[in-house]
Amino acid sequence: MNNKSLIEKWLSDDLTEEERIAFEALEDTPFHKDIVANASKFKASGFSEMPNFESFKKRIEAPEVPIKKLQWLNPILKIASVLMLGLGVYYFLFMNVMTEVHTMVAEKTTIELPDSSRVVLNALSEVSYNEKNWEDKREIKLQGEAFFDVAKGAKFDVVTSKGTVTVMGTEFNVKQRGDFFEVACFEGTVRVVTDNKTEILKVGDNLKWYKGVLVTGQHTQKAPQWTKNSSAFQRIPVSEVLAELERQYDIKITLEGVDVNQLFTGAFVHDNLENALMAISEPLSLEYEVIKPKTVRLSTSE
């Protein structure tokens, strides 16, 4: 008798004495006995009965039948995903678009903000703001120089890399060029935050921040002079003065022995290069030479 028959008869408790001896001699007899012994420790259902060997084998070898999950939620989830994607695309395309305005060399322009405030941009300057979302985020970013004529009751922030100016219904000028940052108040009040310092400027006040040094002072102007085609300076490094001259006339200035860190007080016009060069060079005892239409050389007087 083969092993399979012996196991079947053992499960049915139908072994003869000879067959029982043969079953006990099988190599895997202890394994089968352990299975039966452990199975007796579990409480069986009242509707179950001990299977015979064939049904036991089929149950072991039968592949698992996958459980079918409810699919009714899938269409709702797909619709919700499409709606969320649509809202995200709409916000990105229509609500998160920045309005950008920039000027070229020797160019000025005027724009109007959503609250009817007026902004005048100086040469080589740029502003950006969210026109569609203005009521929720009243913020305008500035690189360069701009004069703000704020509408009555309007409030917004002018953000630069060196400081933030908070509008409180006023007229003011903001200039941010590299390490140089300047704010001048012409009407009303503005709050200026630079690093950990906060300054409140009133009419006639101005603030300058240059290479980590903050200086406050006074001015007597009613509007920034550059809006009237003339750049005015009060104790400003020569390097900043010459940089402004290059922006207004679209020229390149080369220097010979000129101390660009010395301070300059004065002004130059935007419509006559010869007059502008004289206005800068004479107070500083410099000589100038127009080498070619777009290049000027400044040197110390011999």
Side-chain angles (χ1 to χ4, degrees), residues 8 46 163 172 183 189 253 266:
E8 285 182 350
F172 62 99
V183 182
T189 307
I253 299 176

Side-chain angles (χ1 to χ4, degrees), residues 101-111 119-127 142-148 173-177 182 224-233 240 243-245 247-249 268 270:
V101 181
H102 60 86
T103 54
M104 306 298 289
V105 173
E107 178 189 13
K108 301 179 183 71
T109 192
T110 301
I111 63 173
V119 182
V120 186
L121 279 180
N122 202 351
L124 276 183
S125 299
E126 179 180 328
V127 292
L142 169 67
Q143 295 181 26
E145 184 171 15
F147 171 65
F148 295 83
N173 190 79
V174 181
K175 182 177 183 179
Q176 188 273 306
R177 306 276 194 189
E182 181 180 31
Q225 293 302 297
W226 66 263
T227 62
K228 302 176 182 180
N229 289 323
S230 174
S231 293
F233 307 90
E240 293 299 319
E244 189 63 35
L245 186 67
R247 283 189 287 268
Q248 297 299 336
Y249 285 97
F268 66 79
H270 295 175

Side-chain angles (χ1 to χ4, degrees), residues 75-89:
I76 297 177
L77 293 175
K78 290 179 180 178
I79 294 172
S81 299
V82 171
L83 288 175
M84 291 299 293
L85 179 61
L87 288 173
V89 171

Side-chain angles (χ1 to χ4, degrees), residues 35-64:
I35 292 177
V36 174
N38 290 330
S40 64
K41 297 178 181 179
F42 295 93
K43 183 178 180 181
S45 168
F47 294 96
S48 63
E49 59 182 40
M50 177 69 71
N52 58 27
F53 180 80
E54 287 298 330
S55 60
F56 176 70
K57 181 181 178 183
K58 288 179 180 179
R59 183 177 298 178
I60 293 176
E61 295 177 351
E64 293 185 3

Side-chain angles (χ1 to χ4, degrees), residues 249-260:
Y249 285 97
D250 191 16
I251 59 173
K252 177 65 177 177
I253 299 176
T254 62
L255 304 174
E256 292 183 2
V258 178
D259 180 7
V260 295

